[in-house]
Amino acid sequence: LRAPRHLSLSPAPSPTASSAVVLMAAPMDLCVDLGPMPEDDHSGRVVVTGLKSLLDSGDFCDVELVVAGQTFRAHRTVLAAASRSFRDMLLRISSGAGDGAELAGATVTDGNMMRLELEDISHPEAMRAMLTCAYGQGDEQPAEYDPGCEDANLDVLRLAQRFHIDQLQEHACRWLTSNLTTENVLQRLAACDEFHLEHVCEQILEQLVSNPEALFALANDAKILSVPRVLQELLIRVLKLVGCGTDVSAAGAQGAAPQGKRAKKAGA
């Protein structure tokens, strides 16, 4: 009797199958396009919302800003991030280099609470606008900038330039050019002159020159004498508009020639 023979159920490899295995072993590049990466500002909103919540609750506040008898509590780090002048003052205080009094009236209490009195700011609304600019709106819908009155907007400009907050100044500048009337235009031009806002003044003057009726009403307003530089600029623009500037230059050039000829004859 012969021993039973074990049979292999595995098929014998064929040359064709071996070639297929070799080909599949080579790496292949696969391109899968999922479209553009979706924007995710969730983390940014969380931080802004959290900071606004801390401001509203007063938690962890370490600076007091006093305006017109009202005290606004805030956080040094947030103000330092929004204002380079406030940051420089904090660095000087922390390094012991005097009181860093680039912003006058800053004192530090025993409890490490900094108190800053802004005696030249008389409208609390201006400080609210500054803090809103520094902290953001959080989950709230962005509110349109509205200081409430002309003088409050001037205080906003003072804060923006003192603390070097460009975005805050931009809000105040845009408000100067909006809702212009013959009653408020002089005050706004005076504000441009006081805060050296040449680009804003240029825009307002362009509107005036293009509106003869408003320009005539302004010329009859005695208050215009209080801003002589604006009056001079308006006069120059009107003269250029009617072509006087070109005529005067041409007349001057023509008048110089005869004088030169007379001078030569006299010399001869």
Side-chain angles (χ1 to χ4, degrees):
L1 295 175
R2 292 183 178 181
R5 185 178 181 182
H6 296 283
L7 300 177
S8 176
L9 299 179
S10 300
S14 63
T16 306
S18 300
S19 301
V21 171
V22 172
L23 291 176
M24 290 300 295
M28 299 177 62
D29 293 333
L30 300 176
C31 293
V32 179
D33 186 7
L34 297 179
M37 187 69 179
E39 297 183 2
D40 181 14
D41 59 347
H42 176 69
S43 59
R45 289 199 306 270
V46 169
V47 173
V48 172
T49 302
L51 291 175
K52 184 65 166 55
S53 176
L54 291 176
L55 177 68
D56 294 338
S57 65
D59 293 337
F60 308 111
C61 290
D62 52 7
V63 61
E64 293 180 340
L65 305 167
V66 183
V67 173
Q70 294 191 29
T71 300
F72 297 86
R73 304 187 74 186
H75 305 86
R76 299 184 196 182
T77 52
V78 176
L79 296 182
S83 163
R84 65 176 183 270
S85 59
F86 195 90
R87 178 193 61 199
D88 292 343
M89 182 183 67
L90 288 179
L91 290 175
R92 293 179 183 179
I93 292 177
S94 61
S95 64
D99 60 355
E102 183 177 335
L103 304 174
T107 57
V108 180
T109 64
D110 295 336
N112 202 33
M113 175 70 73
M114 177 184 291
R115 185 178 179 85
L116 181 61
E117 296 189 13
L118 303 168
E119 297 180 353
D120 60 333
I121 306 299
S122 56
H123 293 80
E125 298 87 348
M127 179 54 66
R128 292 191 187 95
M130 191 189 88
L131 293 177
T132 298
C133 185
Y135 281 82
Q137 300 284 350
D139 284 335
E140 302 174 3
Q141 291 293 331
E144 184 178 355
Y145 171 79
D146 183 8
C149 65
E150 302 288 340
D151 290 338
N153 194 61
L154 296 182
D155 277 349
V156 171
L157 284 170
R158 292 185 182 95
L159 290 173
Q161 293 192 352
R162 179 178 305 174
F163 287 93
H164 298 95
I165 305 178
D166 295 337
Q167 185 180 2
L168 183 62
Q169 177 164 312
E170 180 66 21
H171 286 314
C173 289
R174 289 180 179 275
W175 197 80
L176 286 175
T177 59
S178 64
N179 300 318
L180 279 173
T181 68
T182 53
E183 294 182 358
N184 61 27
V185 66
L186 279 179
Q187 186 175 3
R188 297 190 178 187
L189 285 171
C192 294
D193 192 29
E194 177 182 353
F195 295 98
H196 308 288
L197 306 174
E198 287 80 7
H199 65 293
V200 180
C201 183
E202 180 76 17
Q203 295 179 22
I204 296 177
L205 289 175
E206 286 181 0
Q207 293 190 41
L208 279 174
V209 173
S210 63
N211 190 333
E213 294 182 1
L215 189 61
F216 182 78
L218 188 63
N220 285 278
D221 191 343
K223 295 179 183 178
I224 197 171
L225 299 177
S226 62
V227 280
R229 195 186 70 82
V230 172
L231 177 60
Q232 180 185 24
E233 184 66 26
L234 275 175
L235 182 59
I236 292 175
R237 286 172 179 268
V238 172
L239 289 175
K240 287 183 178 180
L241 190 62
V242 298
C244 291
T246 305
D247 295 342
V248 170
S249 300
Q254 294 175 359
Q259 290 180 2
K261 293 180 180 180
R262 286 194 295 270
K264 290 181 179 180
K265 291 181 180 180

